[in-house]
Amino acid sequence: DQQVKQNSPSLSVQEGRISILNCDYTNSMFDYFLWYKKYPAEGPTFLISISSIKDKNEDGRFTVFLNKSAKHLSLHIVPSQPGDSAVYFCAASAVQGAQKLVFGQGTRLTINP
Amino acid sequence: SQTIHQWPATLVQPVGSPLSLECTVEGTSNPNLYWYRQAAGRGLQLLFYSVGIGQISSEVPQNLSASRPQDRQFILSSKKLLLSDSGFYLCAWDRTGLAHEQYFGPGTRLTVT
């Protein structure tokens, strides 16, 4: 039962253009969503998050959009830079004793010069 | 500032051998601690989490176990490794009751031969 899905395993974008990574979820109890970036052989690093009471959160070149009715969120990176090439994971959590995160499968983003 | 350490960074073990991976967190007290596994080409799967010393919750039935002998130490173990235990093991922490972001260690690449 995949509660968080990233249906695109890979995405290729030209440097300077916008990268859009998508994520869908099924559990309506999720109230917080996060994006992580991961380089090979390293641990994921937290990128940006959004609470279910908001529909947009922006941090520099990164913006996350949340559409609760569609159970869909997306990460926009603009302009894309070569250093953005990595695997991006979306994650979701519902408030519990420990804040367990449910991760998607990841999308490998490649920025082409 | 907080830091999280994992060792070893890489490990090659024969089938049937024991396993012990260690994770320690510095700069915070009473963190929630997590063990994840990333199998090849897949997302992050939560294996265990702990909200305090000696308190371990298992997310999936498997060949592995976890222990938390000290507040900031989390250990992943196995008595007899299987081929299917190969993967990239990640430890993470967060603060109880605060933001949902989890912070990951550098990971351990385990290859069972």
Side-chain angles (χ1 to χ4, degrees):
Chain A
D1 178 25
Q2 193 75 28
Q3 297 186 70
V4 178
K5 295 181 181 180
Q6 294 176 255
N7 291 317
S8 297
S10 63
L11 176 67
S12 186
V13 174
Q14 193 170 2
E15 182 178 358
R17 298 289 186 97
I18 184 172
S19 296
I20 300 177
L21 298 103
N22 294 305
C23 180
D24 298 294
Y25 63 95
T26 58
N27 189 341
S28 58
M29 297 300 292
F30 289 144
D31 66 347
Y32 203 82
F33 304 89
L34 308 91
W35 284 94
Y36 282 83
K37 177 180 179 180
K38 184 181 182 302
Y39 293 117
E42 294 183 9
T45 54
F46 169 71
L47 199 55
I48 192 170
S49 61
I50 187 167
S51 165
S52 60
I53 62 173
K54 296 184 176 180
D55 55 16
K56 177 183 175 181
N57 188 28
E58 190 172 354
D59 183 3
R61 298 187 295 114
F62 303 92
T63 303
V64 56
F65 295 92
L66 176 61
N67 182 334
K68 284 181 290 185
S69 61
K71 293 190 174 66
H72 177 84
L73 66 155
S74 61
L75 173 68
H76 292 210
I77 306 173
V78 57
S80 300
Q81 299 175 353
D84 296 329
S85 295
V87 176
Y88 290 78
F89 290 96
C90 69
S93 75
V95 176
Q96 301 182 47
Q99 293 151 168
K100 295 184 287 183
L101 296 181
V102 179
F103 283 84
Q105 309 96 308
T107 296
R108 180 176 301 278
L109 175 65
T110 302
I111 306 301
N112 301 309
Chain B
S1 64
Q2 300 84 17
T3 55
I4 179 169
H5 304 280
Q6 285 186 248
W7 62 88
T10 60
L11 192 58
V12 180
Q13 292 282 95
V15 168
S17 63
L19 173 74
S20 181
L21 303 181
E22 189 166 343
C23 169
T24 58
V25 180
E26 296 178 356
T28 188
S29 60
N30 195 32
N32 295 323
L33 295 172
Y34 306 83
W35 278 112
Y36 290 87
R37 176 171 59 202
Q38 183 185 16
R42 303 186 68 177
L44 301 176
Q45 181 185 34
L46 179 63
L47 303 176
F48 301 94
Y49 69 93
S50 171
V51 299
I53 296 174
Q55 300 179 61
I56 308 294
S57 296
S58 174
E59 285 296 293
V60 292
Q62 59 205 313
N63 186 43
L64 302 168
S65 62
S67 62
R68 186 170 176 175
Q70 300 179 43
D71 181 46
R72 290 169 288 177
Q73 184 185 31
F74 206 22
I75 297 173
L76 184 69
S77 304
S78 173
K79 292 182 179 179
K80 289 185 178 181
L81 283 168
L82 306 172
L83 284 173
S84 58
D85 292 324
S86 293
F88 193 54
Y89 288 82
L90 289 155
C91 181
W93 72 274
D94 66 16
R95 294 190 186 91
T96 301
L98 296 180
H100 295 239
E101 293 86 13
Q102 290 180 10
Y103 301 93
F104 286 82
T108 295
R109 169 72 59 192
L110 172 65
T111 303
V112 182
T113 60

